[in-house]
Every structure is written in structure tokens, then in C-alpha cells.
Amino acid sequence: MDAISKIVDDEGVLGLYSGINGALIGVASTNFAYFYWYSVVRTLYLSTQTLPKPPTTAIELSLGAVAGAVAQVFTIPVSVVTTRQQTQPKVERKGLLDTGREVINSEDGWTGLWRGLKASLVLVVNPAITYGAYQRLKDLIYPGKTHLRPFEAFFLGALSKSIATIVTQPLIVAKVGLQSRPPPARQGKPFKSFVEVMRFIIETEGPLALFKGLVPQITKGVLVQGLLMMTKEKMEILFIVLFAYLRRLRSAKLQQAATAAAEKAKHVMPLISK
């Protein structure tokens, strides 16, 4: 709340939405890339199995981590530019493209767009932990239940995301520190690794500072992941109904074709016999 009030006082309500264009592009591209690569990785894994069986929780976590790592390579430039936008003072803030040029023109060059990649690769365990916790909590709280009600899916999604966020928050803080401008105490010297960021934070602010921003992060994650899981459950049911309808429609068309062929054969056979 203190951060929100300071932003509103300094920049107005619109300051709370600084970098929203990049954030929207980042969310859309990251989720698309993650689920795309997850489906690819999972399909490749299942194709290697001689006996078809559902992957274990450990395998699901591993597949999710691999998919998340590949997705990060393609989407982290958007995250770098958005973070730089959101951490700049209002008078120095630029548009998405101009901020990207600023990153490229820095001492890191083009590689600056992939700044914090190592931390991001470690952070791929976040969605993996979220998904694994969701499946495990589903078995514990709603055993034997195939399809969940919307509020049940929302509750499990929110709870699993909270667990994952608490575990990975120090890395999230370190990643932001890597992608932002260095603090004044560094005299313009950028951080080289997320370990260096974490060490600096502990020395200057104490260990608990590694969890700063935890409440807003959990709040955002709870809303996003809860809604995502709630929608996912509904979409799964929708696709099952849709496929059942298409299969029934196909069966009906095949039956009509067979009936038409039989009728045609009845008319042709008398002509042949004559």
C-alpha cells in the first residue's frame, strides 16, 4: 500500500499502469510460448513411451520446466524492456521501442535484451511448482473428482500459485534488480548475476528484503492463476463436449452415406440381373 500511495502521489493514478503495453505483450507471448512448448515437449515425451500411461508428477514438473526454459529464451526481451520502463522515474520514462533502443545502446549491447536470463531459467520452476501443486492439491482436497466447479478450480489455482510465489520470490526480486538500472549506491555499475543482486540486497537491506513485494506478487498471481485454472477446467469440458458432438456428427454422416450406398445398390442390382 505504501508503494501504491507513493506512485499515486508522484505520478497520479496512471503511474500504476506504467509499462502496461509491454506487460500485456509479455503476458500474452509468455503464456502462448509456454503452453505451445509444453504441448510440444509433452507430445515428444509420450511418443517415446512404449506403453501409454499418464506422466507422474515429477515428469510433469520436468516437462513444465523444459517448456518454460525454451519459452523464456524467446520472450525475455519483452520482460527486460517492460521492467526497465516500470523502474524508471517518470521524467525519464520512454516508450516501449525507445526503451528497447536504450537497452541495446547500453554497455551490454543486444545481449542486454536477455539480461537476467539465468534467473529467468531458474524461475521456470515457478509454473512447474504451480502446476504440480495444483495436481497434488486436487488429488488431496477433491479426490476422485475429474471436473471441478469454477470456484474449486479458482481456489486450487490461487493456492498453488501462492505456494510457488513464496518459494521463488527471492529470485523474482533478484531478476528485477538485474533488469533495472543499478541503484545509486552502485554508482552506475550494473549487476553481473542474480547471486550478486541477492548479496547486495542482504548486505544493504537485510534478508527479509528478498521477499519485498511478496503481497502484491501473490495478489497478482492469485487472480491470474485462479482465473486461468478456472477457465482451463471449463475449456476442457467444452472441448470434450465439442469432440463428442463432432464424433456423433461424423457417425451420422457415415451412416447416411452407408444408407445412400445401400439404396443405390438396391436400384442397380435389378438392372444387372436383367
Side-chain angles (χ1 to χ4, degrees):
M1 293 302 295
D2 180 57
I4 292 175
S5 62
K6 286 182 178 178
I7 292 173
V8 173
D9 291 340
D10 294 341
E11 305 179 26
V13 177
L14 291 179
L16 296 173
Y17 297 90
S18 62
I20 189 172
N21 292 335
L24 291 175
I25 295 172
V27 169
S29 60
T30 300
N31 281 290
F32 171 80
Y34 175 77
F35 285 111
Y36 171 77
W37 286 110
Y38 178 77
S39 64
V40 171
V41 171
R42 197 173 192 275
T43 301
L44 289 174
Y45 169 77
L46 292 176
S47 66
T48 62
Q49 301 299 300
T50 52
L51 294 175
K53 58 180 180 179
T56 62
T57 302
I59 295 296
E60 289 284 11
L61 289 173
S62 301
L63 295 177
V66 172
V70 177
Q72 280 296 322
V73 174
F74 291 97
T75 60
I76 194 172
V78 180
S79 174
V80 170
V81 174
T82 302
T83 301
R84 181 68 66 90
Q85 272 188 309
Q86 293 173 336
T87 54
Q88 284 177 333
K90 184 179 180 180
V91 292
E92 300 179 18
R93 192 171 298 147
K94 304 173 183 176
L96 190 67
L97 295 178
D98 290 334
T99 305
R101 291 191 192 98
E102 181 184 278
V103 174
I104 294 171
N105 293 331
S106 66
E107 64 178 57
D108 291 330
W110 282 94
T111 58
L113 292 174
W114 279 267
R115 193 169 175 78
L117 179 60
K118 291 181 181 178
S120 297
L121 292 178
V122 177
L123 278 170
V124 299
V125 299
N126 189 296
I129 292 172
T130 301
Y131 185 75
Y134 180 87
Q135 294 297 331
R136 186 59 59 196
L137 289 170
K138 181 180 178 180
D139 294 337
L140 290 174
I141 300 176
Y142 305 108
K145 199 166 186 178
T146 306
H147 301 294
L148 302 179
R149 296 177 181 177
F151 73 89
E152 293 172 340
F154 183 91
F155 168 71
L156 286 184
L159 186 57
S160 60
K161 187 62 178 180
S162 298
I163 294 171
T165 301
I166 292 171
V167 172
T168 59
Q169 182 64 15
L171 285 174
I172 295 173
V173 172
K175 177 187 171 185
V176 172
L178 270 174
Q179 296 175 343
S180 308
R181 283 185 178 179
R186 297 276 299 179
Q187 299 178 345
K189 183 183 177 182
F191 294 105
K192 296 299 181 182
S193 67
F194 65 89
V195 175
E196 186 180 5
V197 178
M198 295 171 74
R199 188 183 299 119
F200 176 82
I201 292 173
I202 292 173
E203 290 175 355
T204 56
E205 304 178 50
L208 289 180
L210 293 174
F211 293 89
K212 61 185 176 183
L214 181 62
V215 174
Q217 192 73 23
I218 288 179
T219 304
K220 183 186 78 170
V222 161
L223 292 174
V224 173
Q225 197 67 32
L227 291 172
L228 179 65
M229 289 303 184
M230 185 172 68
T231 306
K232 173 181 171 291
E233 291 289 336
K234 284 296 182 183
M235 290 301 294
E236 284 181 352
I237 296 174
L238 180 62
F239 276 116
I240 291 172
V241 173
L242 179 62
F243 284 134
Y245 171 75
L246 292 175
R247 184 178 296 176
R248 188 170 59 183
L249 188 64
R250 183 183 178 188
S251 299
K253 287 184 177 181
L254 289 174
Q255 185 62 40
Q256 288 177 359
T259 303
E263 288 293 329
K264 187 176 181 180
K266 287 181 181 178
H267 291 293
V268 171
M269 287 299 293
L271 295 175
I272 295 175
S273 60
K274 289 180 181 179

